[in-house]
Amino acid sequence: MKISINKDYDKMSRAAADLVVEQVKAKPGSLICFPSGDSPAGMFKYLIEDVKAGRVDLSQCYFVGLDEWVGLGKDDDGSCTKFLYEHFFTPLQADMARVKFFDAKAKDLDAACLDMDAFIKLHGPLDMMIVGIGMNGHIGLNEPGTDFNLYCHHAPLAQVTVEVGQKYFKKQTALTEGITLGLKYLQEAKTAVLLAAGAKKAGIIQQALDGDISQHIPASIFQTLPSSVILLDEGAAGDLAH
């Protein structure tokens, strides 16, 4: 586990984009998992700039979306999939045959999980899995108490996730369940990357990286991942023991 503390969110975002660029230059056909949300938005901006400037070619990569709110999809405001389209795949003009999202509107969510597992098995293993961290230590929508050895799965959302998740919606939205890549994929990824920015994340980062390894703090799994990289800004790193 390598911890990199960056001066601010912008520097952290540039560092995250650099990790992706290095990965793709080493293996043009990499399979990469991206999260949605505030944490990776700056990284996506830099990656788009890098592609347009000719610094990297992402056209041979395969991509998967980390998670989704059950019942929502790419046409729904606030969905993880729509976020990734708007912030990355549409401006990238990506070949969407190389991109896989969860069908979170499927009648059979177990089948939707198996469909994602099959895509990863076909094109994987994951070369890079990039995640953020929730205020309760969740990774993707792997909530506290989730077994570390699950692959794709769906499960009820924690109340804090439902409350914090409202920031992505213009009006109050009922969120009950999430569908997500499981933590087993994080263990199997060649490189696992955690992004966190802002002083509001300092407490949970300290618990995850300095505290006990426990299913109660899913992000604590990073302590067990030797090839992982933790990218923080100074705010998020503020409570760590240095």
Side-chain angles (χ1 to χ4, degrees), residues 188-237:
E188 293 181 354
K190 293 176 185 174
T191 305
V193 181
L194 175 62
L195 307 178
K200 69 180 183 296
K201 294 288 178 72
I204 193 62
I205 282 291
Q206 188 276 330
Q207 290 181 62
L209 303 186
D210 288 341
D212 294 336
I213 299 168
S214 166
Q215 292 181 3
H216 297 298
I217 306 286
S220 67
I221 195 173
F222 269 87
Q223 295 184 50
T224 74
L225 306 177
S227 63
S228 62
V229 180
I230 319 289
L231 293 177
L232 309 172
D233 69 358
E234 291 181 351

Side-chain angles (χ1 to χ4, degrees), residues 37-146:
D38 297 335
S39 296
M43 172 187 70
F44 292 141
K45 177 177 71 75
Y46 276 120
L47 283 174
I48 297 301
E49 289 177 6
D50 289 344
V51 169
K52 289 181 177 175
R55 288 189 287 267
V56 67
D57 178 4
L58 301 179
S59 65
Q60 300 306 305
C61 292
Y62 292 91
F63 300 101
V64 294
L66 175 61
D67 53 16
E68 186 56 274
W69 312 109
V70 167
L72 300 183
K74 73 180 180 69
D75 297 323
D76 297 303
D77 288 337
S79 75
C80 305
T81 305
K82 185 170 186 177
F83 181 97
L84 286 168
Y85 265 97
E86 290 183 346
H87 286 80
F88 189 63
F89 293 113
T90 298
L92 183 65
Q93 297 181 302
D95 174 2
M96 297 311 293
R98 293 177 170 270
V99 183
K100 183 72 174 175
F101 297 108
F102 282 108
D103 179 2
K105 292 185 171 184
K107 288 188 172 64
D108 187 342
L109 292 173
D110 290 335
C113 288
L114 292 173
D115 192 36
M116 179 64 88
D117 285 332
F119 184 90
I120 294 172
K121 186 175 182 180
L122 179 63
H123 300 293
L126 284 161
D127 292 291
M128 182 169 281
M129 183 168 173
I130 303 175
V131 299
I133 181 173
M135 297 302 292
N136 62 357
H138 76 211
I139 293 290
L141 290 172
N142 294 280
E143 298 284 24
T146 300

Side-chain angles (χ1 to χ4, degrees), residues 4-12 232-235:
S4 172
I5 300 171
N6 301 268
K7 182 172 178 56
D8 53 29
Y9 173 78
D10 184 67
K11 293 284 193 299
M12 183 202 77
L232 309 172
D233 69 358
E234 291 181 351

